[in-house]
Amino acid sequence: MFTIQRRALAVLALSATALLPQAQAQSGSKEISFGIISTESSANLKAAWQPLLEDMQKVTGLKVNAFFAPDYAGVIEGMRFNKVQVGWFGNKSAIEAVDRAQGEVFARMVQPDGGIGYWGFIVARKESPLNSLDDVIKQRQNLTLGFGDPNSTSGALVPGYYAFAQNKVDPTKDFKRMVRANHETNILAVHGKQIDIATVASDAMERMKLKQPEKHDELKVIWRSPLIASDPMVWRADLDAGTKKKVADFFLAYGKQPREKEILSKLTIGGFMKSDNSQLVPVRQLGLVAERTKIEGDANLSAEDKAKRLQVIDQRMAELGRMAAATN
């Protein structure tokens, strides 16, 4: 009897906790947590982002807490369980946040040169005999690859398709060794000769150039991806309207003053512009293309099963095509 009562009380407590975010959303937020994806060490990210978050706190009147996790999934899960209300994501991780964590894109970064995109790179040491993707493909069985977080757009999804899948190479199996790490760690591992090559973001290389130019200058880019849409800013869709307005107004106005420009320059950001979930469509399409390629090459699937799976993917691709056409 006592055990049953304890279980009942536990269920009631969980129910009350589950209703708490909704109650907060209706009454207006006083405090938010800002999630920051793990492109490099938490210490470096905190130092770079803290001045912006302090400005955000002053301008919005909200208490703003930084939220870090050892991998991208940690920030996605943080938003899913309402431990993160606003955050900086990549396109791939933003898709996960939108699909699984009530996320919603409200803005995107602008590059320091005014552009609205960046690239995925494969880098090697300057003295390396590797000078192209063809060199990598031919010598892959003797190479150690530093690959990105599974939820990284430029570190995993984009090079995984354009550099590897299109050349019928599985980056997780076909190299001598593959290790996963954030952009900064992969860059430093190539520099330190712990690995031969790595997939990294172009803006991560720019950050390395600012922080440790001597190490940056000892590396070379041997492959560049097609342009990737600049990183989205995401909030929980159930955040109250007043807080959304404060947050959006802050980001869309930030970066106009010299001091703000200096803060953003250390993040290799030029500013922010309005955006929405439609910016994720091209990356969703790329993910489906990569999935389709994998299914087509899977010898373990029967012809019937393969046809069914491909039909589902084609239907999803058609739907995304209609969404893309509607936003153009």
Side-chain angles (χ1 to χ4, degrees):
M1 181 70 174
F2 181 64
T3 302
I4 293 173
Q5 287 177 333
R6 282 198 304 178
R7 287 178 180 171
L9 288 171
V11 169
L12 286 171
L14 285 170
S15 300
T17 302
L19 290 171
L20 185 58
Q22 183 178 353
Q24 288 176 334
Q26 291 170 346
S27 63
S29 302
K30 298 277 179 26
E31 181 175 343
I32 60 172
S33 290
F34 187 92
I36 299 169
I37 54 173
S38 54
T39 57
E40 52 188 278
S41 71
S42 295
N44 286 344
L45 289 168
K46 183 175 182 179
W49 278 92
Q50 194 61 38
L52 183 149
L53 297 185
E54 288 173 1
D55 285 352
M56 183 179 175
Q57 183 164 287
K58 290 175 187 174
V59 172
T60 63
L62 301 165
K63 187 175 187 305
V64 181
N65 305 306
F67 181 96
F68 301 97
D71 54 24
Y72 288 34
V75 180
I76 296 165
E77 289 299 291
M79 181 164 280
R80 182 184 171 204
F81 290 103
N82 206 21
K83 293 181 180 179
V84 170
Q85 291 76 43
V86 184
W88 162 49
F89 289 79
N91 288 279
K92 174 67 166 62
S93 52
I95 288 172
E96 295 297 315
V98 168
D99 292 351
R100 297 174 44 234
Q102 299 188 57
E104 182 178 69
V105 175
F106 69 92
R108 66 191 291 183
M109 293 178 174
V110 176
Q111 302 301 112
D113 63 0
I116 53 173
Y118 69 110
W119 293 270
F121 287 165
I122 294 178
V123 298
R125 284 188 61 89
K126 272 194 173 173
E127 70 272 16
S128 169
L130 302 170
N131 291 301
S132 68
L133 180 60
D134 283 343
D135 291 342
V136 171
I137 299 302
K138 289 174 185 174
Q139 301 180 47
R140 63 187 183 276
Q141 291 181 333
N142 299 316
L143 300 176
T144 300
L145 166 69
F147 208 42
D149 185 289
N151 286 304
S152 172
T153 309
S154 55
L157 177 63
V158 167
Y161 177 69
Y162 286 108
F164 300 130
Q166 287 195 330
N167 289 290
K168 299 185 177 0
V169 171
D170 184 340
T172 67
K173 299 177 181 177
D174 294 348
F175 285 80
K176 178 181 178 181
R177 185 167 63 97
M178 186 278 286
V179 293
R180 287 192 185 271
N182 63 45
H183 296 297
E184 179 190 45
T185 299
N186 275 334
I187 291 170
L188 293 175
V190 172
H191 177 269
K193 301 181 181 179
Q194 296 166 307
I195 57 178
D196 299 300
I197 57 171
T199 58
V200 301
S202 58
D203 51 7
M205 286 290 283
E206 287 299 312
R207 285 263 289 148
M208 185 60 64
K209 187 176 182 179
L210 288 174
K211 295 186 301 177
Q212 300 184 64
E214 70 288 349
K215 291 184 178 179
H216 171 275
D217 292 346
E218 291 178 10
L219 303 176
K220 62 183 177 182
V221 176
I222 60 175
W223 176 81
R224 178 194 296 255
S225 76
L227 192 68
I228 304 167
S230 56
D231 288 346
M233 309 298 289
V234 180
W235 58 31
R236 276 183 60 100
D238 63 356
L239 198 62
D240 65 276
T243 300
K244 283 182 176 179
K245 186 176 188 311
K246 289 178 183 178
V247 171
D249 288 350
F250 169 77
F251 278 105
L252 297 179
Y254 199 77
K256 307 293 192 295
Q257 304 302 319
R259 177 182 162 278
E260 296 171 355
K261 288 180 180 179
E262 177 64 21
I263 289 171
L264 289 182
S265 71
K266 293 176 181 177
L267 290 162
T268 62
I269 302 171
F272 302 89
M273 63 183 289
K274 189 175 180 180
S275 189
D276 56 42
N277 289 349
S278 65
Q279 91 157 65
L280 305 177
V281 169
V283 179
R284 288 185 183 276
Q285 290 172 318
L286 177 59
L288 287 176
V289 171
E291 188 177 344
R292 195 180 207 290
T293 302
K294 186 175 181 180
I295 291 171
E296 286 176 330
D298 191 342
N300 295 319
L301 290 175
S302 68
E304 183 181 1
D305 195 14
K306 187 176 291 189
K308 286 181 180 177
R309 296 191 186 193
L310 291 176
Q311 183 180 18
V312 171
I313 289 177
D314 289 343
Q315 289 171 347
R316 290 162 64 192
M317 285 289 286
E319 183 182 347
L320 289 174
R322 288 191 291 271
M323 290 172 62
T327 57
N328 290 336

